[in-house]
């Protein structure tokens, strides 16, 4: 049995559960959903409420799945997606080191999740009980592909929502201006 994989799964999964609960409920001094929505709004991740719930639930449920060794490549992929989006939207511009708000911690978590997916969840896991022994290169590539696709998809959906909101705002302003011009003409 690989004790190292079990320890890594429990720690990494536990960290994600904690971060997810911070966002979801305000546990451990976190911002809760309201604060997470504000963060989403500031980073252009609209609609903010949907994205706040999505990241909070992904981190909580995905972290629990990693800790339990359940649906390991998929859970790792979902969590990798959250780290890639956080890196792009918040941390990249601050450089590498975490002391300056950089992406160091995100890189470590992405690497740990990829390693867990590559090694498989181990014998003491839900996946092993269910007879699923995904791991190796296929497990790692699955996690990375799911993570990359998820991150690109979420960012593109937010960009599309921003563009749609801007178009709706412009159309509303045009209707308002038309109405004001008609009223002035009367």
């Amino acid at each position: 049995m690989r004790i190292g994989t079990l320890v890594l799964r429990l720690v990494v999964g536990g960290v994600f559960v904690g971060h997810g609960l911070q966002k979801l409920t305000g546990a451990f001094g976190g911002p809760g959903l309201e604060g997470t929505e504000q963060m989403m709004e500031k980073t252009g991740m609209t609609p903010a409420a949907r994205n706040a719930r999505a990241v909070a639930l992904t981190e909580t449920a995905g972290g629990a799945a990693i800790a339990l060794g359940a649906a390991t490549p998929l859970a790792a992929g979902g969590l990798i997606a959250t780290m890639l989006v956080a890196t792009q939207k918040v941390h990249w511009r601050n450089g590498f080191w975490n002391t300056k708000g950089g992406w160091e911690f995100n890189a470590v978590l992405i690497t740990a999740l990829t390693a867990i997916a590559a090694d498989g969840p181990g014998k003491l896991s839900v996946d092993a009980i269910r007879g699923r022994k995904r791991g190796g290169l296929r497990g790692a590539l699955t996690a990375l592909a799911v993570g990359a696709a998820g991150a690109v998809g979420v960012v593109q959906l937010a960009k599309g929502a921003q563009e749609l909101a801007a178009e709706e705002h412009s159309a509303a302003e045009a209707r308002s201006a038309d109405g004001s011009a008609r009223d002035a003409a009367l």
Side-chain angles (χ1 to χ4, degrees):
M1 180 175 72
R2 294 181 179 161
I3 295 295
T5 300
L6 175 62
V7 170
L8 186 60
R9 270 190 13 238
L10 292 173
V11 171
V12 171
V15 165
F16 274 106
V17 168
H19 279 274
L21 290 174
Q22 285 179 317
K23 292 173 179 77
L24 191 61
T25 67
F28 313 114
L33 274 176
E34 186 176 315
T36 304
E37 286 178 30
Q38 291 170 4
M39 178 182 60
M40 292 295 153
E41 191 69 42
K42 287 179 187 174
T43 60
M45 294 301 294
T46 57
R50 180 190 70 194
N51 282 301
R53 284 190 302 278
V55 71
L57 291 171
T58 299
E59 288 184 358
T60 304
I66 289 295
L68 294 170
T72 303
L74 182 61
L79 295 170
I80 287 169
T82 67
M83 292 297 94
L84 289 172
V85 173
T87 297
Q88 178 187 356
K89 292 292 187 176
V90 179
H91 302 288
W92 187 260
R93 67 179 160 266
N94 299 323
F96 179 72
W97 298 110
N98 193 46
T99 53
K100 301 213 187 256
W103 51 276
E104 168 191 10
F105 186 59
N106 306 82
V108 170
L109 289 173
I110 291 167
T111 303
L113 290 163
T114 304
I116 291 167
D119 284 350
K123 291 180 182 177
L124 292 177
S125 67
V126 171
D127 284 349
I129 291 168
R130 297 175 73 195
R132 296 183 178 165
K133 297 180 181 177
R134 294 182 185 153
L137 181 60
R138 181 177 177 186
L141 291 177
T142 297
L144 289 169
V146 167
V152 168
V154 166
V155 169
Q156 289 303 311
L157 284 172
K159 184 178 178 184
Q162 283 181 320
E163 290 170 357
L164 182 61
E167 288 172 13
E168 289 173 353
H169 181 74
S170 294
E173 283 182 340
R175 283 191 302 273
S176 177
D178 270 355
S180 296
R182 263 189 301 234
D183 289 346
L186 296 176

